[in-house]
Amino acid sequence: MVLTPAQRILRALVAWAVVMLFAFPIYYWITVSIKLGRDIFAIPPKIFSFETSAKSYEEVFGISLGFEKGIAVLPGGGDFYMAPRLMDSIIIAVFSTAVAVLVATLAAYALSRMRFRGQHHFVFWILSTRMMPPVAVAIPMFFIYKDFGLLDTYTGIVLVHALMNMPLAVLLLKSFFDDIPKEIDEAALIDGASRFLIFRKLVLPMALGGIAATAVLCFIFSWTEFLFALTLTQTSLKTVPVVSSTFVTSTGTAWGNMAALGTAAMLPAFVFILLVQKNLVRGLTLGSVKQ
Amino acid sequence: MASVEYVNVGKSFGAVKVMEDISFTISDQKFVVLLGPSGCGKTTLLRMTAGLETIADGEIHIGGKRMNNVHPRDRDIAMVFQNYALYPTLKVFDNIAFSLQVRRQSKDEVKKQVEWAAELLNLTPYLARYPKELSGGQRQRVAMGRALVRHPQVFLFDEPLSNLDAKLRGQMRYEIRRLHDRLQTTTIYVTHDQIEAMTMADEIVVMRDGEIEQIGTPEEIYDRPANCFVADFIGSPSINFLKGEIQGTAGQQTFHAGGMVLPLPAQTKAEPGQKVTCGIRPVDIAVGPDGPVKAEVVLVESTGAESHLLLTIDGQEIRAVAQGRLRARPGDICGLSIDPATLHLFDAGSEQRIN
């Protein structure tokens, strides 16, 4: 399609407008984290020019960044010391993603390739577990976890996040495996390869994109999950979404600290997506283009 | 190398019976084509031979051994798929070597075998490439190379040429046949393309709706089709069918269709008054100014070397092929002469051959 210069400019403008629409809230949130408290709600809003401060970060992470001379950082970071909470979130998201993707990949391959009685019911049954609102099982889960001693443990939260991700991961990966021609398996079967060898050496490398895409979705879900992370933990671990609520105190809301933690919490997810990005794009377009 | 024997083979998918009581034998070193329209069961039969589908009823023997519960890898067969099914993450060398590596053959042996196959298929310059960097014909050859290195007892081809363009198809047809002549490995080749069947096969098995319609050499199938379906399926342009009736006594029978009367060959099993379908191949009709059967020209298509004519005789449409260019125009009346020996007579009810 040939565009006139006016159309080209218009297209660029619209594209930038859309980018702005998505990028601005993130920009604004980051600026809140480095603003002084009095500037956060200033009218008119100080969007581009304001006095910067690392105070919010210093309080949240309990370290002196050296910008605020003469102000001592409280030992242990004080009330808003959140570094361990960020670590909790990373551990839970990474391990729950790993568990979900590992199990779901094997399950999805089996569902895509093997025929067994009631297969279609099985797939529907997997999906149906997502139809129930999670809050409906929150209280039963609490008692189950209490009895099994999983309450307030990494294992417990990793398991619950992995289980919640599993149905979607299985279905998503199944569709990726379905896109890989069955004849490749059959050719390898005739060539003498075992099922597992076919899976490991031929199918898995072809499905990497799909696995990356699934992993990103699982990671983001676990990173932002609130309900179970709240009800199934007490003191020994807390994830970022849960502790964000502690910034609302009886003496006011610590917006700067909340923004600082939120900004910091964006980073691990950002890094994770960056790492799998190359595969991700391939995964999202897999099957849409004839090879 | 081995013979393949089918004994009362049957198959159903759920409640649908797709195949019943298939029995025939493919003798050692033969190139046999399973031919039929899509959905006739030819691919299913091939997949059952490979072990990719279970054999519901009956038995399949390869080299005299019953194969019903034998794993595909232990059947000593190699298969080439319609979409090639190359391993996209492996280079051409590893694609071809895969089956040997899986069987833990020594590196030297693998290299030797792959190089032999690559040489045979003109793939040597492409061994370090990935399948996606190859053209359709090259991919097809890699798929064949993968089958070759195994030195299997039987080659199975599942419509291997249908993804190629017409020119390449002709070339690969020739190459596959030449390869068979050289290696003499028993080959079962599935296709719906009657040209492929006619040009490549030692023997053709024509199938329809899970049943075998006829087995024979290409010449037998073409010259003496067993029924209307086979007659219609083989030959291009397809055969003309005229519906009519037999008259006269044995030795001097004639075929009557409307006002048209054709003398019949001396030996027929037809009885006077029998309703029949008469098949006439377009190439068996000689078109001239003064043949005994008058026909009106409707359309003339020239393919360069020959002319295809659409004619009508008493309202019945009939196709004829004439060599060279013909100066006929729509509306012209011309004369057709037909050698009685080339007529195919089928019973109008059962559609079975009666001459």
Side-chain angles (χ1 to χ4, degrees):
Chain A
M1 197 171 70
V2 181
L3 295 177
T4 64
Q7 279 174 319
R8 252 205 307 274
I9 290 165
L10 187 71
R11 192 166 69 162
L13 281 178
V14 171
W16 276 107
V18 172
V19 170
M20 283 310 173
L21 194 69
F22 284 98
F24 182 73
I26 297 172
Y27 167 79
Y28 192 74
W29 194 238
I30 294 170
T31 63
V32 168
S33 74
I34 51 172
K35 273 177 190 169
L36 296 175
R38 59 166 193 273
D39 288 342
I40 293 174
F41 289 103
I43 303 271
K46 296 184 173 177
I47 293 173
F48 298 112
S49 61
F50 47 80
E51 209 176 318
T52 60
S53 155
K55 190 165 147 284
S56 297
Y57 285 94
E58 289 184 335
E59 281 169 359
V60 164
F61 292 104
I63 42 164
S64 172
L65 296 170
F67 296 118
E68 321 293 315
K69 294 279 189 290
I71 301 173
V73 173
L74 291 171
D79 294 342
F80 295 141
Y81 177 54
M82 292 299 174
R85 306 287 83 100
L86 206 56
M87 211 48 218
D88 287 349
S89 262
I90 290 174
I91 289 169
I92 284 166
V94 166
F95 280 94
S96 76
T97 301
V99 172
V101 168
L102 186 76
V103 177
T105 305
L106 293 167
Y109 179 67
L111 282 173
S112 168
R113 289 302 196 266
M114 291 166 194
R115 300 278 156 265
F116 53 89
R117 203 174 282 270
Q119 186 178 28
H120 296 288
H121 301 290
F122 190 75
V123 172
F124 185 75
W125 178 62
I126 290 175
L127 188 63
S128 71
T129 59
R130 282 308 295 259
M131 293 174 186
M132 178 180 52
V135 71
V137 289
I139 290 167
M141 282 295 274
F142 177 82
F143 286 111
I144 293 169
Y145 264 49
K146 210 171 128 225
D147 289 349
F148 279 96
L150 288 169
L151 213 57
D152 215 13
T153 62
Y154 286 112
T155 319
I157 306 298
V158 164
L159 269 182
V160 78
H161 281 182
L163 286 175
M164 290 186 77
N165 272 327
M166 209 81 78
L168 213 63
V170 168
L171 287 179
L172 202 62
L173 283 166
K174 179 178 178 293
S175 73
F176 282 114
F177 285 128
D178 285 345
D179 279 350
I180 298 172
K182 217 171 64 218
E183 284 82 359
I184 288 179
D185 294 51
E186 293 177 341
L189 217 56
I190 292 175
D191 274 350
S194 67
R195 270 281 173 202
F196 190 70
L197 184 75
I198 296 171
F199 174 72
R200 192 173 57 82
K201 203 158 175 215
L202 302 174
V203 177
L204 203 59
M206 292 172 73
L208 272 185
I211 292 171
T214 309
V216 166
L217 289 181
C218 289
F219 188 92
I220 290 172
F221 169 84
S222 175
W223 194 249
T224 55
E225 202 276 336
F226 179 75
L227 181 68
F228 286 106
L230 175 72
T231 54
L232 301 179
T233 59
Q234 283 161 342
T235 50
S236 59
L237 78 144
K238 288 223 176 286
T239 62
V240 168
V242 174
V243 291
S244 288
S245 58
T246 62
F247 290 113
V248 183
T249 67
S250 53
T251 54
T253 302
W255 289 106
N257 300 96
M258 199 194 273
L261 180 64
T263 305
M266 267 190 259
L267 282 178
F270 188 72
V271 168
F272 182 76
I273 291 171
L274 214 61
L275 286 178
V276 296
Q277 180 187 249
K278 205 182 112 207
N279 286 318
L280 184 66
V281 177
R282 268 180 49 206
L284 294 176
T285 57
L286 186 79
S288 60
V289 185
K290 195 167 175 269
Q291 294 245 323
Chain B
M1 275 160 264
S3 61
V4 182
E5 196 181 342
Y6 299 88
V7 186
N8 303 326
V9 174
K11 176 83 185 169
S12 36
F13 290 114
V16 188
K17 235 179 167 53
V18 293
M19 205 179 287
E20 212 171 352
D21 259 350
I22 297 276
S23 294
F24 67 100
T25 303
I26 296 168
S27 33
D28 191 14
Q29 306 193 352
K30 280 278 190 295
F31 194 115
V32 172
V33 172
L34 302 183
L35 177 69
S38 35
C40 75
K42 54 192 190 306
T43 294
T44 306
L45 194 61
L46 193 77
R47 290 171 58 86
M48 283 159 79
T49 315
L52 300 173
E53 298 279 354
T54 54
I55 303 163
D57 300 312
E59 296 181 356
I60 296 179
H61 299 259
I62 299 176
K65 277 187 249 131
R66 187 172 182 272
M67 286 294 154
N68 285 42
N69 294 312
V70 178
H71 192 277
R73 68 168 162 257
D74 300 323
R75 294 190 181 202
D76 206 2
I77 43 122
M79 185 158 167
V80 175
F81 291 83
Q82 180 173 1
N83 58 3
Y84 319 139
L86 300 181
Y87 312 132
T89 51
L90 303 182
K91 291 185 172 161
V92 170
F93 182 95
D94 295 310
N95 260 281
I96 298 177
F98 187 77
S99 65
L100 304 176
Q101 288 165 347
V102 167
R103 276 156 220 265
R104 300 186 190 289
Q105 297 210 4
S106 73
K107 273 200 170 140
D108 292 341
E109 181 62 20
V110 170
K111 193 161 180 282
K112 204 180 102 193
Q113 289 298 329
V114 173
E115 279 170 1
W116 166 79
E119 180 70 38
L120 202 63
L121 296 162
N122 296 324
L123 283 172
T124 312
Y126 309 108
L127 285 176
R129 293 203 192 170
Y130 284 100
K132 62 167 187 272
E133 299 161 348
L134 300 178
S135 70
Q138 288 162 347
R139 286 181 205 188
Q140 174 62 59
R141 290 211 295 272
V142 175
M144 279 166 55
R146 211 166 55 176
L148 282 183
V149 283
R150 301 254 316 273
H151 298 290
Q153 295 196 58
V154 183
F155 279 130
L156 307 176
F157 288 91
D158 185 10
E159 311 210 7
L161 304 185
S162 47
N163 287 3
L164 301 177
D165 62 54
K167 196 175 164 205
L168 207 53
R169 211 178 301 159
Q171 189 190 331
M172 289 304 294
R173 218 158 62 197
Y174 161 74
E175 282 187 31
I176 292 175
R177 179 65 221 199
R178 207 187 46 170
L179 212 58
H180 175 263
D181 291 345
R182 201 164 146 186
L183 302 173
Q184 296 284 318
T185 307
T186 313
T187 302
I188 309 178
Y189 186 106
V190 162
T191 183
H192 59 259
D193 183 345
Q194 52 107 8
I195 300 278
E196 277 175 31
M198 291 297 289
T199 51
M200 298 169 82
D202 291 324
E203 211 162 64
I204 299 177
V205 178
V206 185
M207 293 182 69
R208 173 174 60 162
D209 298 339
E211 283 178 26
I212 294 177
E213 296 288 331
Q214 189 174 4
I215 302 178
T217 63
E219 292 73 27
E220 282 166 4
I221 301 256
Y222 184 84
D223 293 340
R224 293 189 58 79
N227 52 41
C228 289
F229 172 77
V230 177
D232 190 34
F233 202 78
I234 301 279
S236 171
S238 33
I239 195 165
N240 297 295
F241 285 124
L242 301 171
K243 292 199 183 301
E245 201 181 272
I246 303 287
Q247 288 183 9
T249 51
Q252 290 171 340
Q253 288 180 326
T254 48
F255 169 78
H256 293 253
M260 182 169 64
V261 179
L262 293 174
L264 291 181
Q267 303 292 325
T268 71
K269 281 178 263 170
E271 294 176 11
Q274 189 175 359
K275 300 263 185 256
V276 296
T277 303
C278 180
I280 312 166
R281 295 213 182 270
V283 290
D284 293 334
I285 300 174
V287 184
D290 35 43
V293 182
K294 296 295 171 209
E296 187 185 333
V297 177
V298 178
L299 185 72
V300 182
E301 297 168 329
S302 174
T303 63
E306 51 191 32
S307 303
H308 294 191
L309 291 100
L310 180 63
L311 311 150
T312 55
I313 308 171
D314 273 355
Q316 294 210 67
E317 284 194 346
I318 188 165
R319 287 190 172 272
V321 173
Q323 292 305 313
R325 311 276 159 84
L326 217 67
R327 291 240 176 83
R329 296 192 167 282
D332 289 356
I333 301 293
C334 60
L336 313 178
S337 38
I338 300 159
D339 179 359
T342 63
L343 293 182
H344 306 273
L345 282 184
F346 305 98
D347 181 74
S350 70
E351 301 202 335
Q352 295 301 311
R353 185 179 189 91
I354 51 173
N355 71 323

